[in-house]
């Protein structure tokens, strides 16, 4: 499991408008491209060999599955921010303000009153 | 010596600007009341006539990430850019450039090191909404030099609530010792109960209104004993997964000291309870 690497994906994609657009339009292709060229990047000249995505992590990212990401302990702020970027406007147009945020909460209702998965990484 | 003219502890709600500047027909019902409360709160800073602002917040994975995340960090440059692309996108917060105050930054950094707070530092810090939100609400002209300080409430393991209080006490001593005739205000932002990316997010109130009432009472009466007796990382998690921002408000109480606040206001919104506290240290009132 590489919670850190899942978070690195969310962090690097959320802060880049072009990556974000590609993650919305073709998530599978973007995740593959990220794993090849962006994930291993340590800085402009150095590459890191430390982390890789597990199959279930890759699947959750490709499927925009924020429930699975919550359960893996991906950081709540990174998850919420990137999925708002991907879905908020579309939901707003069809169902009104906060529709996406409330659906997000409702899909996680079964966690109410339980200890959430740790985000420690 | 410098005067600590005011200490402000405030929640930061990144949607304040958007909510209160949208066309009137699209505004949320509480927008006008929210704006009135924020403008009244702003006046508590204005009348303290500050020359320099010590600003306390936390980076929300904008400049810093899990490859290298500082527990405590101070900015030391002559100017600061502010607001990242994804904050503009999500919150509609504009970009700012704030003037820094290198002399106080350096004095503060050395003073913290001398008191065993081993701070990280940055000479190229870009500030995020934890500091820009209170600039928008309390000093929207952004016309004063700032000394930015980050304390980690975001990437666990976090410093303890007691450590936030102790850091506030240390910052207070250093401000009091700063050899200058300037008037300094300390402004810090955090949260009451808050849920982000979890089942209790974006409800009609904050995730735990009972905690919010209690927290407001603790801060407004300066009751640090009760805070340190009751508040742990776990107790904060229990009332909302992002409630650790409350520790920034504990830090601000540390700067003010265990005193009753001179100004307290709050506003029950969807998603969060907003709260606004100001202390005027006794010697500054003379």
């Amino acid at each position: 499991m590489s919670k850190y690497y899942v978070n690195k994906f969310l962090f690097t994609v959320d802060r880049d408008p072009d990556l974000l657009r590609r993650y919305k339009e073709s998530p599978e292709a973007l995740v593959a491209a990220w794993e090849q060229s962006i994930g291993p990047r340590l800085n402009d000249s150095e590459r890191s060999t430390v982390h890789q995505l597990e199959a279930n992590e890759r699947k959750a990212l490709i499927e925009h599955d924020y429930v699975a990401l919550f359960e893996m302990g991906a950081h709540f702020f990174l998850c919420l921010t990137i999925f708002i970027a991907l879905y908020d406007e579309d939901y707003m147009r069809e169902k009104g303000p906060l529709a996406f945020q409330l659906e997000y909460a409702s899909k996680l209702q079964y966690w109410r009153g339980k200890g959430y998965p740790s985000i420690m990484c | 010596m410098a005067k600590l003219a005011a200490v402000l502890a405030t929640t930061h709600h990144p949607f304040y600007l958007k909510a209160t500047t949208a066309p009137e027909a699209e505004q949320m019902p509480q927008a006008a009341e929210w704006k009135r409360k924020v403008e009244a709160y702003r006046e508590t800073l204005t009348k303290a006539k500050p020359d320099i602002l010590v600003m306390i917040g936390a980076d929300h994975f904008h400049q810093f990430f899990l490859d290298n995340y500082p527990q405590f960090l101070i900015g030391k440059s002559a100017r600061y850019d502010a607001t990242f692309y994804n904050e503009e996108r999500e919150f509609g917060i504009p970009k700012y450039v704030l003037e820094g105050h290198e002399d106080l930054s350096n004095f503060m950094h050395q003073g913290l090191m001398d008191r065993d707070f081993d701070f990280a530092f940055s000479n190229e810090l870009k500030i995020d909404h934890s500091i820009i939100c209170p600039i928008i609400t309390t000093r929207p002209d952004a016309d004063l030099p700032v000394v930015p300080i980050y304390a980690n409430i975001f990437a666990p393991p976090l410093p303890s609530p007691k450590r936030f209080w102790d850091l506030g006490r240390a910052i207070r001593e250093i401000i009091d010792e700063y050899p200058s005739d300037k008037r300094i205000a300390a402004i810090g932002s955090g949260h009451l109960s808050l849920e982000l990316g979890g089942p209790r997010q974006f409800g009609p109130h904050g995730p735990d209104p009972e905690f919010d009432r209690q927290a407001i009472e603790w801060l407004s009466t300066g009751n640090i004993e009760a805070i340190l007796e009751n508040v742990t990382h776990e107790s904060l998690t229990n009332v909302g997964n992002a409630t650790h921002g409350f520790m920034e408000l504990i830090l601000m109480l540390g700067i003010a000291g265990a005193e009753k606040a001179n100004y307290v206001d709050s506003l029950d919104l969807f998603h969060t309870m907003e709260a606004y506290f100001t202390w005027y240290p006794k010697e500054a009132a003379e």
Side-chain angles (χ1 to χ4, degrees):
Chain A
M1 186 170 95
S2 181
K3 209 189 285 187
Y4 169 78
Y5 218 40
V6 169
N7 284 326
K8 186 173 183 181
F9 177 92
L10 300 170
F11 170 72
T12 50
V13 175
D14 183 67
R15 66 196 343 233
D16 182 316
D18 180 54
L19 295 180
L20 192 62
R21 179 187 54 74
R22 289 161 61 195
Y23 187 42
K24 181 169 182 170
E25 288 170 2
S26 42
E28 189 161 9
L30 185 274
V31 170
W34 186 90
E35 284 193 82
Q36 194 163 39
S37 60
I38 301 164
R41 190 180 170 282
L42 191 61
N43 61 39
D44 286 348
S45 54
E46 300 294 330
R47 293 289 171 272
S48 165
T49 61
V50 176
H51 297 282
Q52 51 189 353
L53 292 177
E54 301 284 341
N56 64 327
E57 294 166 343
R58 185 178 299 113
K59 180 169 183 285
L61 291 172
I62 289 171
E63 294 176 355
H64 292 179
D65 186 349
Y66 52 81
V67 173
L69 293 169
F70 179 90
E71 296 191 340
M72 289 171 195
H75 197 285
F76 53 80
F77 187 87
L78 293 169
C79 268
L80 179 62
T81 302
I82 198 167
F83 289 109
I84 283 180
L86 296 176
Y87 289 107
D88 182 42
E89 271 184 31
D90 297 344
Y91 273 63
M92 178 112 69
R93 256 194 309 277
E94 284 179 27
K95 301 174 187 170
L98 297 179
F100 175 68
Q101 289 84 339
L102 294 173
E103 182 176 298
Y104 192 131
S106 75
K107 287 188 179 173
L108 291 167
Q109 280 309 303
Y110 62 97
W111 279 101
R112 256 181 196 272
K114 295 187 206 168
Y116 300 170
S118 169
I119 62 163
M120 189 96 69
C121 164
Chain B
M1 293 299 117
K3 283 267 187 227
L4 179 61
V7 178
L8 279 73
T10 168
T11 50
H12 72 247
H13 197 311
F15 287 107
Y16 168 76
L17 190 65
K18 214 175 186 177
T20 54
T21 55
E24 217 158 291
E26 293 166 27
Q27 285 188 6
M28 59 192 276
Q30 287 154 303
E33 185 189 8
W34 196 2
K35 190 158 183 271
R36 273 198 307 278
K37 281 179 180 276
V38 161
E39 286 173 355
Y41 185 52
R42 181 179 306 154
E43 186 54 31
T44 71
L45 177 67
T46 309
K47 77 176 191 191
K49 299 190 171 57
D51 302 306
I52 308 171
L53 304 178
V54 173
M55 303 289 305
I56 284 102
D59 181 80
H60 295 61
F61 292 151
H62 288 119
Q63 180 159 346
F64 302 104
F65 182 57
L66 296 163
D67 59 331
N68 189 359
Y69 196 91
Q71 294 293 357
F72 298 116
L73 177 138
I74 185 165
K76 297 180 40 135
S77 51
R79 58 190 262 154
Y80 300 93
D81 294 310
T83 310
F84 290 77
Y85 144 73
N86 42 8
E87 296 176 294
E88 283 186 287
R89 181 194 73 213
E90 184 175 358
F91 307 133
I93 299 175
K95 292 204 183 292
Y96 286 82
V97 178
L98 302 179
E99 190 191 337
H101 196 289
E102 289 173 285
D103 190 63
L104 179 54
S105 276
N106 289 330
F107 186 82
M108 179 68 71
H109 190 197
Q110 188 60 55
L112 289 164
M113 298 299 287
D114 292 344
R115 288 165 178 78
D116 295 329
F117 286 93
D118 302 332
F119 260 59
F121 59 95
S122 173
N123 287 289
E124 199 167 13
L125 179 67
K126 183 164 180 172
I127 285 171
D128 89 354
H129 69 269
S130 63
I131 285 177
I132 283 304
C133 288
I135 288 288
I136 289 170
T137 52
T138 67
R139 195 77 185 187
D141 291 343
D143 58 346
L144 294 176
V146 301
V147 171
I149 291 175
Y150 279 161
N152 176 21
I153 48 89
F154 200 65
L158 307 176
S160 69
K162 169 82 163 43
R163 188 74 171 153
F164 277 79
W165 162 260
D166 290 342
L167 175 56
R169 295 274 69 202
I171 291 171
R172 169 61 179 272
E173 280 181 17
I174 297 161
I175 291 173
D176 287 346
E177 286 177 9
Y178 182 51
S180 160
D181 58 0
K182 299 292 186 194
R183 295 173 66 81
I184 297 174
I187 305 173
S189 82
H191 297 288
L192 300 179
S193 72
L194 179 66
E195 178 100 339
L196 295 173
R200 295 171 287 181
Q201 70 177 2
F202 294 96
H205 307 280
D208 197 321
E210 184 45 45
F211 171 82
D212 296 343
R213 275 188 289 276
Q214 181 67 78
I216 289 170
E217 202 247 307
W218 284 334
L219 289 171
S220 57
T221 56
N223 193 349
I224 187 60
E225 282 92 13
I227 291 174
L228 294 182
E229 215 165 278
N230 288 284
V231 173
T232 62
H233 294 151
E234 193 186 0
S235 77
L236 294 173
T237 304
N238 290 343
V239 300
N241 66 346
T243 308
H244 302 93
F246 179 63
M247 294 193 293
E248 306 286 16
L249 308 184
I250 300 175
L251 190 164
M252 299 318 292
L253 184 62
I255 301 178
E259 304 281 344
K260 276 177 68 172
N262 299 90
Y263 181 93
V264 180
D265 200 7
S266 61
L267 177 64
D268 188 12
L269 290 177
F270 79 96
H271 190 47
T272 65
M273 174 83 82
E274 296 302 292
Y276 311 112
F277 307 88
T278 301
W279 291 262
Y280 296 115
K282 287 189 183 80
E283 57 271 36
E286 291 154 13

